[in-house]
Amino acid sequence: MNPVGLDEALVAAAKDGSTDAFSRLVERHQQALRAFLRRTCGDWALADDLAQETFLAAWSKIGRLQAGASVRAWLCGIGYNKHLTALRGAARSRAREAVYESERPPASAALAEDRLALDAAMADLPPDQRACVALCLAADFSHAEAADALGLPLGTVKSHVSRGRARLLQALGGRDA
C-alpha cells in the first residue's frame, strides 16, 4: 500500500476510535512534526512539548480531517498554531514581568546587604531553630501550625522561635523590642 493510502486507512480507523491506528499515524509523522517545530521555534524542548500537545489536539480533532487531506500538513498546521499560542503566552508573561519590575521599588544596596546578613545569620542557627524561625517569623505560621508541620512539641517550637529571634537580633546588631 502506498504511503498516502496507508495514511487514509489509518485516519479512517482512527476516526472509528482505533487508538492503534492513531498511534501508527503518530509514529509515521512525529519525526517530521518535531523537525518542523524545532526549526520554527528554535527550542528543542519546547518543540517536543508542542509536538505532544499537537498529537493530543489531533486525536480530539481527527474527525474533522478531510478525506484525502495530507496528515503531515494537517499536523504541522496544528503544531504551528500551538507554537503561535506559546509565543503569545510568552509575550504576555514578559509584559506582566515588565510591569511588575517597573512598579517594584528599586532595591537599595543597604537592603541587599541586610538580606545577605540575614541569610548568613539564619544559616548559623541550628536546623530545628532555623525551621521554626522560618515558619513562624518569615512565613507567618502560628506556633501550633509550625509544631504540626515540623512534628515538634509546641513548647519546643516556642523556645526555638524565642532563642532564634534573639540570636538573629544579636547577629544583626538589633535590640530586642
Side-chain angles (χ1 to χ4, degrees):
M1 183 177 278
N2 69 24
V4 173
L6 179 57
D7 274 356
E8 287 177 358
L10 291 172
V11 167
K15 284 181 178 183
D16 289 336
S18 170
T19 56
D20 289 336
F22 189 76
S23 292
R24 296 266 322 272
L25 285 170
V26 170
E27 289 172 10
R28 289 177 48 77
H29 298 287
Q30 70 179 337
Q31 185 175 0
L33 176 64
R34 279 177 167 38
F36 165 71
L37 290 170
R38 286 173 178 169
R39 284 189 297 273
T40 301
C41 66
D43 179 339
W44 282 44
L46 176 60
D48 288 345
D49 290 345
L50 292 174
Q52 287 195 6
E53 289 179 27
T54 298
F55 287 120
L56 287 172
W59 173 246
S60 67
K61 296 177 182 184
I62 193 77
R64 296 186 215 157
L65 182 59
Q66 299 293 320
S70 166
V71 174
R72 184 171 39 186
W74 178 67
L75 289 170
C76 286
I78 294 171
Y80 185 66
N81 285 329
K82 295 283 181 190
H83 168 65
L84 292 177
T85 299
L87 284 177
R88 286 188 296 270
R92 283 190 301 270
S93 179
R94 283 191 305 274
R96 278 192 305 270
E97 289 173 13
V99 168
Y100 171 77
E101 288 297 323
S102 69
E103 293 175 352
R104 194 174 81 174
S108 70
L111 288 177
E113 288 176 20
D114 289 347
R115 182 73 185 156
L116 290 174
L118 177 61
D119 289 345
M122 283 288 288
D124 286 341
L125 295 177
D128 283 352
Q129 258 185 21
R130 186 174 344 144
C132 291
V133 167
L135 289 178
C136 294
L137 300 181
D140 293 326
F141 276 51
S142 70
H143 290 124
E145 290 171 328
D148 286 343
L150 299 173
L152 295 172
L154 179 60
T156 302
V157 170
K158 289 179 178 182
S159 174
H160 282 332
V161 170
S162 178
R163 288 185 184 126
R165 182 176 182 274
R167 287 182 68 175
L168 288 176
L169 285 171
Q170 181 182 13
L172 298 174
R175 292 183 32 182
D176 201 353

